[in-house]
Amino acid sequence: MKKNTWQQLKSAFGVQKMDEMQMHINLQAIRWTYSFITVILFIWGTHDFILSPHKIPMAIILLILQNLVYYIVTAILKSRMGERAALRRLLIIIALSAAGAIFIGILLYFFH
């Protein structure tokens, strides 16, 4: 696609570079959305766990995975920006995630 055609396509859909105010509004919306989803998944998972305590609710698994992805992506992006401590944090996150998965697997194996 030629650059001119690409510019026309972007303007037809209203796509433009965000200014600082739009970026701030979008960041606040993302934060509120993240908080809302986290609270809802926690409430849903707790409710399901109370109703059937012999299994791990899907909502709790999603909550854990959501936060795991967030922390891994944050550590990777900080590492790419040159922050040396971020790489160490990433390795710690991966190690703790593996240890947690093994621990949960052992618990499920013996107490199921």
Side-chain angles (χ1 to χ4, degrees):
M1 219 185 260
K2 290 191 253 177
K3 186 176 181 181
N4 192 15
T5 308
W6 179 249
Q7 294 296 332
Q8 290 173 347
L9 187 62
K10 282 183 7 180
S11 65
F13 286 104
V15 177
Q16 56 187 343
K17 277 191 141 186
M18 291 190 287
D19 60 5
E20 289 181 25
M21 183 182 74
Q22 289 171 326
M23 287 177 64
H24 178 73
I25 291 170
N26 282 341
L27 183 59
Q28 291 299 318
I30 290 168
R31 285 181 182 160
W32 278 100
T33 303
Y34 177 79
S35 299
F36 173 76
I37 294 298
T38 301
V39 169
I40 293 300
L41 284 174
F42 180 76
I43 292 170
W44 180 19
T46 304
H47 175 264
D48 285 352
F49 185 72
I50 290 170
L51 292 179
S52 57
H54 59 278
K55 63 180 183 176
I56 298 175
M58 184 58 74
I60 295 297
I61 294 171
L62 289 173
L63 180 64
I64 292 168
L65 289 175
Q66 167 188 309
N67 287 306
L68 185 63
V69 167
Y70 170 78
Y71 286 116
I72 288 174
V73 169
T74 301
I76 289 171
L77 293 176
K78 285 182 180 179
S79 174
R80 285 186 182 173
M81 298 303 284
E83 188 177 317
R84 296 183 65 78
L87 186 58
R88 185 175 59 233
R89 244 180 272 133
L90 177 62
L91 294 175
I92 290 170
I93 290 169
I94 291 172
L96 288 175
S97 300
I102 291 169
F103 180 71
I104 290 173
I106 290 170
L107 286 177
L108 289 175
Y109 178 77
F110 286 112
F111 297 107
H112 184 66

